[in-house]
Amino acid sequence: CLFPGVCGGEFSILRSPQSVAFRDGSWPIPGERIPDVAALTMGFSVEEDLPWPGLGVGDLFHRPQATVLVTVKGVDKLPVKGFSYPIENAVPFSLDSVANAIHTLFSEETPVVLQLAPSEERVYMVGKANAVFEDLSVTLRQLRNRLFQDSSILSSLPLNSLSRNNEVDLLFLSELQVLHDIASLLSRHKHLAKDHSPDLYSLELSGLEEVGKRYGEDSQQFKDASQILVDSLQKFADEMFNLYGGNAVVEVVAVKEFNSPLSRKTRSILQASQSKNDNPYNLAYPYNYDYSVIFNIVLWMMIGLALAVIVISYNLWNMDPGYDSIIYRMTNQKIRMD
């Protein structure tokens, strides 16, 4: 009964391979730990343990080849198929840590790292696969022009109460066009889905939120837009899942509004070094979660080297000259004959 007071969204798993074990339940997931769920499903390590029962261990030797995360703003939940979990403390998040891990470990290959927010004209692409998505419409003008082309989704979607002449409706439809174009581009370059490097897609859709502000959440336009969005997301999830041969995780985060704005931590390259006056109490550095790993590696390596030196020195000290090389024995025999 406390969930409605602390939870402000829903985290849904539309498609996932058998190697990733999601459990059916209503366990709330902290909003700031959603990137950790994406990292763990892809086989990457996280700084802090994730005590969330919704994600099991799964198959450690078969990790998914792609993670697709779609964030929908303006609604608390969507009636999609799959496992759904309430979000506790819906704060803004980003998958920059997962993108950096992919770029660091697979920089010599062709990973697809695409983070896109069409309404804000914000796009982030990393890796050698960028050339494939150069034709993807990202600005509002490009999206508007793309909608009125012959191969757009306007010819196949049932608009119902939505209008082609309203800017808010066109913004919502243009985001669905981006989903269609991503799957279409990937289907023409299937080698990107069959390589050994994992791929990451992070999309943020706010067109439904604008429809709700323009017409109201009880309007027919908002209901039609919600149903069109659910159908488009399900189709997009099936297409991406099939393109990766059933080895992809497709997730949806539905949140009405975030509790706080997203702030990215930056550091200037001209930042002055820390002086003694900045640390008057001589406090220790923050604990590094890799400390125990490094300590065990150094400790057992030093113990092994010390034991090896002791054993080798003992055997050299007690070596019997009679069992030395044939040169020594022949020389010794020659000395005895002389």
Side-chain angles (χ1 to χ4, degrees):
C1 64
L2 297 178
F3 285 169
V6 298
C7 298
E10 192 174 59
F11 177 59
S12 303
I13 311 298
L14 272 63
R15 301 298 296 265
S16 63
Q18 296 181 355
S19 59
V20 180
F22 284 101
R23 300 189 180 99
D24 189 9
S26 58
W27 303 288
I29 174 72
E32 66 275 7
R33 302 305 303 271
I34 292 178
D36 293 340
V37 175
L40 291 173
T41 55
M42 301 186 74
F44 299 135
S45 60
V46 295
E47 292 185 356
E48 299 181 11
D49 293 336
L50 181 63
W52 182 55
L55 179 62
V57 177
D59 191 349
L60 300 178
F61 300 99
H62 296 87
R63 295 286 87 188
Q65 284 297 109
T67 293
V68 183
L69 178 61
V70 182
T71 302
V72 179
K73 299 172 62 178
V75 63
D76 285 332
K77 59 175 62 178
L78 291 170
V80 294
K81 299 178 181 179
F83 301 115
S84 297
Y85 311 94
I87 297 178
E88 181 181 6
N89 188 22
V91 296
F93 61 88
S94 68
L95 300 184
D96 292 345
S97 59
V98 184
N100 293 334
I102 294 176
H103 180 61
T104 302
L105 298 175
F106 302 93
S107 59
E108 300 300 327
E109 301 184 28
T110 56
V112 178
V113 179
L114 176 63
Q115 301 187 61
L116 179 63
S119 61
E120 300 178 5
E121 297 186 359
R122 175 163 45 89
V123 60
Y124 173 71
M125 291 187 289
V126 176
K128 297 180 179 179
N130 292 358
V132 175
F133 296 94
E134 286 181 351
D135 298 332
L136 188 66
S137 300
V138 292
T139 65
L140 295 179
R141 178 177 296 180
Q142 292 174 348
L143 292 171
R144 182 184 178 89
N145 296 333
R146 177 70 180 90
L147 276 177
F148 291 98
Q149 295 178 2
D150 296 335
S151 59
S152 68
I153 61 174
L154 290 180
S155 58
S156 59
L157 282 181
L159 300 182
N160 298 331
S161 60
L162 299 179
S163 174
R164 300 186 180 188
N165 301 322
N166 194 297
E167 292 295 334
V168 175
D169 298 354
L170 291 178
L171 173 63
F172 168 75
L173 296 173
S174 64
E175 294 180 341
L176 304 184
Q177 183 67 53
V178 172
L179 299 180
H180 173 77
D181 290 343
I182 290 176
S184 179
L185 287 172
L186 190 61
S187 64
R188 294 199 299 266
H189 301 82
K190 294 183 179 180
H191 64 280
L192 296 176
K194 296 180 179 179
D195 56 7
H196 299 287
S197 58
D199 301 333
L200 177 66
Y201 302 86
S202 177
L203 310 172
E204 183 176 320
L205 310 181
S206 59
L208 185 62
E209 181 183 22
E210 297 300 326
V211 172
K213 292 179 180 179
R214 175 66 175 81
Y215 301 105
E217 297 183 2
D218 296 331
S219 63
Q220 188 63 36
Q221 289 87 347
F222 185 80
K223 296 178 181 178
D224 292 340
S226 300
Q227 186 59 45
I228 293 174
L229 178 61
V230 170
D231 296 339
S232 300
L233 287 175
Q234 201 69 53
K235 181 181 178 182
F236 176 69
D238 295 339
E239 290 177 350
M240 297 296 289
F241 188 76
N242 294 330
L243 286 172
Y244 281 92
N247 196 19
V249 179
V250 184
E251 305 164 339
V252 173
V253 173
V255 58
K256 189 172 184 60
E257 62 180 2
F258 290 112
N259 295 338
S260 60
L262 176 62
S263 60
R264 296 179 181 269
K265 296 181 179 180
T266 60
R267 181 181 185 273
S268 174
I269 59 175
L270 300 178
Q271 183 176 352
S273 60
Q274 184 181 22
S275 62
K276 293 183 179 179
N277 296 330
D278 298 332
N279 190 11
Y281 301 106
N282 194 24
L283 300 178
Y285 291 102
Y287 178 76
N288 189 352
Y289 289 94
D290 295 332
Y291 173 80
S292 59
V293 178
I294 298 175
F295 176 81
N296 278 275
I297 292 175
V298 175
L299 173 65
W300 295 109
M301 183 178 294
M302 295 300 296
I303 292 176
L305 290 177
L307 292 176
V309 171
I310 294 174
V311 173
I312 293 173
S313 302
Y314 176 81
N315 285 277
L316 288 175
W317 185 265
N318 296 278
M319 180 181 294
D320 188 357
Y323 292 98
D324 205 354
S325 65
I326 189 173
I327 298 177
Y328 181 83
R329 290 198 299 271
M330 291 182 62
T331 305
N332 188 24
Q333 184 70 17
K334 186 175 182 298
I335 293 175
R336 290 180 180 179
M337 291 175 62
D338 292 342

